[in-house]
Amino acid sequence: MLRRTAIKRQPWTKDAAARRRETLAQQRQARRDLTAHARQLAQQQEPPSPHGGEDAQPMDGVISATSKRRTREERVKQRREHFSKQLMTPEWLIDIPKDLNGNGSLLGEGWYVLPRPEGKRCLVVANGGNTIARIPSGSILKKFPSALPCGSHKTNKSNDGYCILDCIFQEQNETFYVLDVMCWKGYLLYNCTTEFRLYWMRDKLSEGATGMTAPANPFRFLPVPSYESDQEGIMAAYSTTYPFLKDGLLFYMKAGHYEMGLSPLALVWKDANTSRFFVYSAKPSIVLRFEGDNEFVTLEGIALFTANQDFIQEHEVCMWNLTLGMVAY
């Protein structure tokens, strides 16, 4: 009834250190050309319709209500899948990298540690005099003017300039806490190291008026503090009281590029002291998303298994999200 993909073929079952080495080697060997991709995001273009666009019609020119609803659901699903892959998703910290503080690394890169603010993760794009923040589902969270380059009519001074930021929004503080920057004023940073991206982010955000609220900048943009991932830095990120509530700690490899989707070069740690949503359970559950090709996928994008039609019909699987009890095999 249930067909499982062979465990040995799943890349996520490899040793975490091996996944990091493999991903880092791939990044160094292949420089991605993401110019067209970034421009599409900047222009707020939706992913192409699965049936060739909204205007696609059957031969007889008649579209039933069921067909319209199915097309709309597929479009929403495709938009969700498209935008959910634009942000870098960290893996859980289940082992301690040998080079966490630079020791044991051939190049001595080491890692940074950042306190993760509690709030809504979002992709912020400033272009053409407007700023739009989208949550991973693709839905628009906020649309507003900002002091970011090309984020308002006042700062829109370049046709090719646009900004793409990875942020967490806190409604109570009216603040976008910036985790990372993928593009600034048209300059792509996807292929730059974390060390350079975080330096660029702090430097550029300190230059303008993005950190202050004003009619032309109703929400603040503040960089999330980062520390060297040694004992002193980890303790600072762990125990310091910030203007925001913490929701865990993030660890970024200094030499890593910005990887869209799940990345072993970014790790997340949570416990009861760093997150109020941390709950220990002897019987944990897992949320799976039912996607194309009958795959059950985790929120991190890992395909756990594939089901046949008999299994789907028997269990009446028709939802995108499904909560299951954790089963040990």
Side-chain angles (χ1 to χ4, degrees):
M1 298 296 294
L2 181 63
R3 178 169 58 87
R4 296 194 189 95
T5 305
I7 293 296
K8 63 181 180 180
R9 295 177 56 191
Q10 296 289 356
W12 53 272
T13 59
K14 294 180 181 178
D15 176 74
R19 290 200 306 275
R20 288 192 287 269
R21 289 194 300 268
E22 182 178 329
T23 302
L24 194 59
Q26 290 175 351
Q27 289 184 351
R28 288 170 174 167
Q29 293 173 3
R31 301 283 293 182
R32 300 166 297 173
D33 185 3
L34 296 172
T35 305
H37 175 82
R39 186 173 291 115
Q40 181 189 33
L41 283 180
Q43 295 173 352
Q44 301 296 335
Q45 295 179 5
E46 296 282 342
S49 171
H51 298 297
E54 296 184 28
D55 298 331
Q57 296 185 2
M59 295 299 293
D60 58 4
V62 178
I63 303 179
S64 66
T66 303
S67 177
K68 285 184 177 180
R69 178 171 53 81
R70 185 180 299 113
T71 301
R72 183 169 58 253
E73 290 175 351
E74 290 175 350
R75 192 163 58 246
V76 171
K77 178 182 177 182
Q78 189 175 32
R79 183 180 65 183
R80 178 192 298 269
E81 293 176 352
H82 173 74
F83 283 101
S84 66
K85 296 175 182 177
Q86 303 308 315
L87 297 173
M88 182 165 63
T89 303
E91 292 188 359
W92 285 101
L93 178 59
I94 56 177
D95 75 325
I96 301 177
K98 293 181 179 179
D99 61 345
L100 190 65
N101 61 354
N103 296 329
S105 171
L106 295 177
L107 299 178
E109 297 98 348
W111 295 65
Y112 286 121
V113 58
L114 299 79
R116 185 193 186 279
E118 181 183 306
K120 295 181 179 179
R121 184 87 179 272
C122 54
L123 180 76
V124 175
V125 177
N127 183 45
N130 287 305
T131 304
I132 296 179
R134 290 180 183 266
I135 58 177
S137 68
S139 299
I140 294 178
L141 175 65
K142 298 286 183 182
K143 187 174 183 179
F144 56 98
S146 74
L148 294 171
C150 301
S152 67
H153 294 298
K154 186 177 180 180
T155 60
N156 188 30
K157 300 179 180 179
S158 173
N159 293 330
D160 297 326
Y162 47 87
C163 295
I164 304 175
L165 307 177
D166 181 350
C167 300
I168 293 178
F169 179 65
Q170 280 201 347
E171 188 79 44
Q172 61 271 30
N173 295 344
E174 296 187 330
T175 301
F176 285 92
Y177 290 101
V178 186
L179 290 174
D180 217 323
V181 55
M182 296 87 89
C183 184
W184 185 270
K185 218 171 182 178
Y187 180 72
L188 296 184
L189 296 159
Y190 285 97
N191 291 326
C192 297
T193 64
T194 300
E195 190 168 19
F196 180 79
R197 294 197 315 274
L198 295 189
Y199 158 76
W200 186 279
M201 177 184 74
R202 291 190 300 268
D203 184 63
K204 296 303 178 182
L205 290 178
S206 66
E207 290 179 353
T210 56
M212 299 177 291
T213 57
N217 191 64
F219 304 104
R220 298 183 300 167
F221 285 86
L222 299 178
V224 174
S226 60
Y227 306 89
E228 291 286 341
S229 189
D230 52 19
Q231 183 176 357
E232 183 179 349
I234 293 175
M235 285 305 300
Y238 187 87
S239 58
T240 300
T241 301
Y242 297 98
F244 52 82
L245 293 175
K246 279 186 291 192
D247 187 23
L249 300 180
L250 291 169
F251 293 84
Y252 287 170
M253 180 182 275
K254 292 183 180 180
H257 299 172
Y258 192 91
E259 192 82 11
M260 291 176 288
L262 189 68
S263 173
L265 306 184
L267 305 173
V268 61
W269 165 266
K270 293 185 181 183
D271 63 12
N273 292 325
T274 58
S275 175
R276 59 178 180 156
F277 300 113
F278 177 81
V279 178
Y280 174 78
S281 174
K283 295 182 179 180
S285 62
I286 182 172
V287 178
L288 300 180
R289 188 169 58 237
F290 183 57
E291 294 190 345
D293 299 326
N294 298 340
E295 289 184 335
F296 287 86
V297 183
T298 68
L299 299 183
E300 293 83 9
I302 299 172
L304 291 184
F305 61 88
T306 304
N308 58 27
Q309 289 297 327
D310 293 337
F311 177 87
I312 294 173
Q313 293 176 2
E314 178 182 350
H315 296 276
E316 298 181 351
V317 177
C318 59
M319 298 181 296
W320 290 337
N321 291 338
L322 182 69
T323 302
L324 300 175
M326 183 70 77
V327 180
Y329 291 97

